[in-house]
Amino acid sequence: MTRPQRPLARQLAVTVSFLLAMVGTAIGVGAFGGDPIAEAAGGLLAADSTHLAPASSAFMIWSVIYAGLGAYTLWQWWDRRDARGIAPGAILSLLLNAAWILTVQAGWVALSVVVIALLLVVLADLFRRIAATPPGGLPERIVVDGTFGLYLGWVSVATCANIAAALKGAGFFGFGVPSLLAIAVLAVVAVIGVALTLAGRRPVAAPLAMIWGLAWIAVGRATDEPHAPGVAIAAAAVATVIALAAAAQWLRPRRGASAPAGRSER
């Protein structure tokens, strides 16, 4: 029996997309002389710009996500089949990542909302595929489920901050009650976060990334401008709700578990 050929086109496409995303990241941190993201577009995406902006330390999560994306890029060279259909979504997510950075660098914050919304849709579809089919082993669970779960969880929070930045850039200041509007948005984030914890096979990475982002929103609004204690409390509360939902999901007995002795499952 002849060995199946490696799907070289797919593997190269993922690799090139990852390299383009890394170039975009270098641009985003100002490595080529441009402004870092926090300073681009008039500082609309800075940590002290809006009520939904996370504190600057929150963005350390990108290092973990990019490391995971690099690991996935290497791992997929040994994955001949891509049985879960991850590669097309991974390629799109990498290209959209680079596109988002370039739109922000160009000062097109409104367009960046469209880009990050598309990225969120792509990552949600990847999450659906991951949840529908179990991984082939521990390496795949880490580099695929873990990486794209973190990616989705973080982008879910970042999308809210991006929209808030675009609205500020358009001259909208929350009907004079920006804290109340921010708290309403956080309530929606709570629903999304709980839904993610209930989806699939007890996901860990996506809820963790959301908790991370929400915790840093709480820190930002408690310690930096715009000072908003109500938003800080709401963000911390939403992070707690998601954490409790995830814990409850993990403590719930798995389906198909053996019934106690002397009893039969119905």
Side-chain angles (χ1 to χ4, degrees):
M1 180 182 295
T2 60
R3 296 176 64 186
Q5 292 184 346
R6 292 186 176 183
L8 186 60
R10 180 258 292 173
Q11 293 164 330
L12 287 174
V14 171
T15 303
V16 170
S17 298
F18 174 73
L19 293 175
L20 289 173
M22 292 304 97
V23 171
T25 301
I27 293 173
V29 299
F32 299 132
D35 293 327
I37 291 296
E39 299 173 14
L44 285 174
L45 291 162
D48 60 355
S49 178
T50 71
H51 285 70
L52 290 173
S56 57
S57 296
F59 299 96
M60 291 188 297
I61 195 173
W62 275 119
S63 298
V64 181
I65 293 171
Y66 284 137
L69 289 170
Y72 165 74
T73 301
L74 292 174
W75 172 82
Q76 59 95 33
W77 280 91
W78 282 267
D79 178 28
R80 294 176 177 276
R81 297 175 55 220
D82 187 29
R84 301 161 92 186
I86 301 300
I91 292 168
L92 277 174
S93 75
L94 290 163
L95 295 178
L96 286 168
N97 185 301
W100 183 86
I101 292 172
L102 293 176
T103 56
V104 172
Q105 286 285 343
W108 301 334
V109 180
L111 180 58
S112 75
V113 171
V114 176
V115 177
I116 201 170
L118 290 173
L119 175 58
L120 185 60
V121 170
V122 169
L123 292 173
D125 181 67
L126 278 173
F127 184 84
R128 177 187 63 81
R129 292 175 181 274
I130 289 168
T133 308
L138 182 61
E140 184 174 357
R141 183 180 296 278
I142 294 172
V143 301
V144 176
D145 299 42
T147 296
F148 291 104
L150 283 177
Y151 203 176
L152 172 62
W154 171 250
V155 170
S156 298
V157 175
T159 300
C160 299
N162 200 162
I163 293 171
L167 290 173
K168 180 179 178 180
F172 177 73
F173 296 98
F175 303 111
V177 285
S179 290
L180 291 179
L181 188 59
I183 291 170
V185 172
L186 290 171
V188 176
V189 173
V191 174
I192 295 171
V194 171
L196 285 178
T197 66
L198 299 178
R201 298 173 314 282
R202 303 180 179 183
V204 175
L208 276 179
M210 294 190 75
I211 292 166
W212 171 269
L214 289 161
W216 283 109
I217 290 176
V219 170
R221 299 294 64 78
T223 63
D224 200 356
E225 297 296 331
H227 188 61
V231 177
I233 292 170
V238 172
T240 302
V241 167
I242 294 173
L244 291 173
Q249 181 76 337
W250 272 90
L251 292 173
R252 184 170 60 87
R254 291 180 181 271
R255 290 183 179 180
S258 299
R263 295 178 59 184
S264 61
E265 288 188 345
R266 292 182 179 271

